[in-house]
Amino acid sequence: MGVKEITLDFLFLLTKQSKMTSDSDKNAYPEPPRQTPVVDKQTALPNPALILTKLFYYSVDLPVTTFKELVDGIQSGNKQKYYHQKFRRVPDLTECTEGDYLCYYEAEMQWRRDYKVDQEIVKVVQERLRACQQREGASYQQNCANEIQQFSEVAKAYQSRYGDLGAYASSRKCLMKQKERMMAANAKA
Amino acid sequence: MVGMSVLRSAAAFAARLNPLKSGNFAPNLLSRTAIRTDKVAVRWESHGKQMFVIKPTGYYDTRFLKLLRFYILLTGIPVAVIVTAVNVFVGEAELAEIPEGYEPEHWEYYKHPITRWITRNFFDSPAKDYEKMMALIHIETEKAEMRLKQQEVRKHMRMNGDGPWFQIETLDKNLIDHSVKSTPDN
């Protein structure tokens, strides 16, 4: 067995046999089809990948998991809950009368929340693309075409809306950027 | 007495001339004699000669390090113990859907128990902070409006002159002495 096969075996066995790693959301991060071949051992030598996985299991995985289960047992009685806050929609900056600073403030706060949400959306799409590339390996450009296209769309949209606003970005500057975009589109048409 | 000093000075003179000769041993370290290297004191056995090692003082350094360790651990150990106990025995909160018709308190939006405790006992809720900021903005908006109005009114009062501002007090008419005048408008 070459070194490459051993490392691949090792990584595969590590993710499959360990209790610590577990994939979530099979729709966004689907598992590749199982390709484990029938074990056809032709040597009397032990499989080093198996030895290493067993070593890792008994030295790291098992103690950590038992400790976590212990702690979970202690904490299971009084589990607190936390929620995601839902904010009401308020009038936009375009719907505020001039000089109404209270309306400006509420619109600014809403824009900042939306900015954060958009940043997280970009991160999630990026993470999906990265996971897809890791799964497919060498043939990712062909198999991950959906993820690649989705990421490029999202990144282009983010860049055009929030692109070079900088550290002191505000809803007003974003609105001015949108105005410039619309003017450029009008000039081209 | 005199003979003793003569002998002593002779020994010192001989030592100075040839300090390496075994007969010329001068016991004084401060005399200019060479150090004997053929007989050295043994230091690595338990019954070796005790040496007075001359090195710079480590008193201030060790004192500083001891005090540093003491004052860091004085609060460091309780904090570490408390944080570990909280993480093991209380544990982080779990994400849940907001039940129908229930409005969570402002500390129920945080995960870690210590953050929840701090926001519950010491901080105002984000809604209250928002309202405080809105109150400040409202006060400043009113101030700005008042100032603009005051400028406008001032301009009109100055131009027209029939308002209560920009009235200059003059002396009483009855104080004018008309007796020296031929006509009243003199």
Side-chain angles (χ1 to χ4, degrees):
Chain A
M1 289 182 91
V3 175
K4 191 162 172 221
E5 282 88 10
I6 291 176
T7 42
L8 285 173
D9 257 4
F10 175 56
L11 290 169
F12 181 72
L13 286 168
L14 207 58
T15 48
K16 289 296 151 263
Q17 287 183 3
S18 74
K19 296 187 203 171
M20 284 159 61
T21 58
S22 63
D23 282 334
S24 55
D25 196 359
K26 301 281 187 252
N27 290 330
Y29 303 100
E31 284 183 8
R34 304 286 288 269
Q35 289 173 341
T36 30
V38 177
V39 176
D40 183 23
K41 224 170 145 193
Q42 288 174 338
T43 68
L45 297 171
N47 184 1
L50 202 63
I51 293 176
L52 287 171
T53 45
K54 289 279 172 216
L55 200 70
F56 179 80
Y57 179 75
Y58 284 113
S59 62
V60 177
D61 202 341
L62 204 57
V64 168
T65 328
T66 40
F67 179 70
K68 174 109 176 49
E69 277 163 17
L70 213 90
V71 169
D72 277 343
I74 295 172
Q75 288 176 2
S76 61
N78 44 359
K79 248 322 186 185
Q80 301 272 15
K81 290 206 196 338
Y82 78 105
Y83 311 102
H84 273 329
Q85 188 160 15
K86 290 192 175 41
F87 291 94
R88 282 199 293 265
R89 296 303 291 186
V90 287
D92 228 0
L93 195 59
T94 48
E95 295 160 26
C96 289
T97 56
E98 191 176 334
D100 187 0
Y101 294 101
L102 287 169
C103 185
Y104 289 175
Y105 178 72
E106 296 214 58
E108 173 76 30
M109 288 296 122
Q110 185 177 255
W111 180 86
R112 284 214 190 147
R113 290 194 291 268
D114 291 341
Y115 189 19
K116 270 243 138 71
V117 167
D118 286 335
Q119 284 171 346
E120 293 299 319
I121 289 173
V122 170
K123 280 186 203 166
V124 165
V125 170
Q126 218 174 18
E127 185 63 36
R128 282 195 195 167
L129 178 63
R130 203 183 288 145
C132 183
Q133 190 270 331
Q134 176 65 20
R135 270 201 313 275
E136 306 295 336
S139 59
Y140 70 93
Q141 251 162 343
Q142 178 192 2
N143 294 354
C144 299
N146 288 342
E147 271 86 1
I148 291 174
Q149 201 240 342
Q150 192 181 36
F151 174 70
S152 73
E153 270 175 14
V154 166
K156 272 205 196 69
Y158 184 85
Q159 182 70 14
S160 81
R161 189 193 276 192
Y162 298 110
D164 291 309
L165 291 178
Y168 298 104
S170 90
S171 60
R172 201 164 148 166
K173 290 186 188 171
C174 193
L175 191 64
M176 293 303 112
K177 191 171 179 204
Q178 187 186 12
K179 188 179 80 171
E180 290 289 316
R181 269 207 315 277
M182 288 162 76
M183 277 161 59
N186 268 349
K188 215 165 55 171
Chain B
M1 282 284 288
V2 178
M4 286 290 288
S5 66
V6 165
L7 277 174
R8 200 176 296 143
S9 51
F13 189 61
R16 187 180 287 194
L17 283 181
N18 199 349
L20 292 172
K21 274 209 176 150
S22 45
N24 296 340
F25 176 55
N28 197 351
L29 276 173
L30 297 174
S31 70
R32 290 175 226 160
T33 54
I35 302 168
R36 309 288 311 264
T37 50
D38 48 348
K39 289 184 195 152
V40 287
V42 172
R43 292 168 222 193
W44 53 80
E45 293 172 4
S46 55
H47 298 292
K49 180 180 159 78
Q50 276 191 324
M51 303 302 292
F52 181 71
V53 179
I54 298 178
K55 60 181 201 299
T57 174
Y59 172 72
Y60 299 102
D61 296 333
T62 38
R63 184 180 72 175
F64 170 71
L65 290 171
K66 272 193 201 166
L67 289 171
L68 188 75
R69 272 201 309 265
F70 175 69
Y71 283 109
I72 285 178
L73 294 177
L74 188 65
T75 46
I77 288 182
V79 162
V81 165
I82 287 171
V83 170
T84 315
V86 164
N87 277 328
V88 166
F89 294 107
V90 178
E92 292 185 339
E94 278 171 339
L95 188 56
E97 284 293 328
I98 302 178
E100 281 297 324
Y102 173 66
E103 225 224 282
E105 304 280 346
H106 67 273
W107 67 81
E108 287 176 6
Y109 291 115
Y110 299 98
K111 194 162 60 160
H112 195 265
I114 294 181
T115 326
R116 283 166 81 108
W117 182 77
I118 292 172
T119 45
R120 193 172 69 228
N121 293 74
F122 300 118
F123 289 169
D124 288 327
S125 73
K128 191 167 172 190
D129 283 334
Y130 194 85
E131 293 295 325
K132 284 194 296 205
M133 186 54 140
M134 299 261 273
L136 285 173
I137 291 174
H138 183 64
I139 288 169
E140 291 298 314
T141 342
E142 283 187 335
K143 273 159 77 173
E145 278 172 28
M146 288 290 145
R147 283 173 187 150
L148 283 172
K149 264 189 224 163
Q150 191 237 2
Q151 274 174 14
E152 183 81 27
V153 163
R154 196 182 130 108
K155 191 172 78 172
H156 283 294
M157 295 245 194
R158 248 189 147 141
M159 278 193 330
N160 293 348
D162 57 356
W165 295 0
F166 300 103
Q167 302 288 337
I168 300 171
E169 295 291 332
T170 50
L171 285 175
D172 196 6
K173 264 200 307 212
N174 302 328
L175 296 169
I176 301 173
D177 182 18
H178 290 292
S179 57
V180 291
K181 293 179 187 169
S182 59
T183 54
D185 290 329
N186 228 358

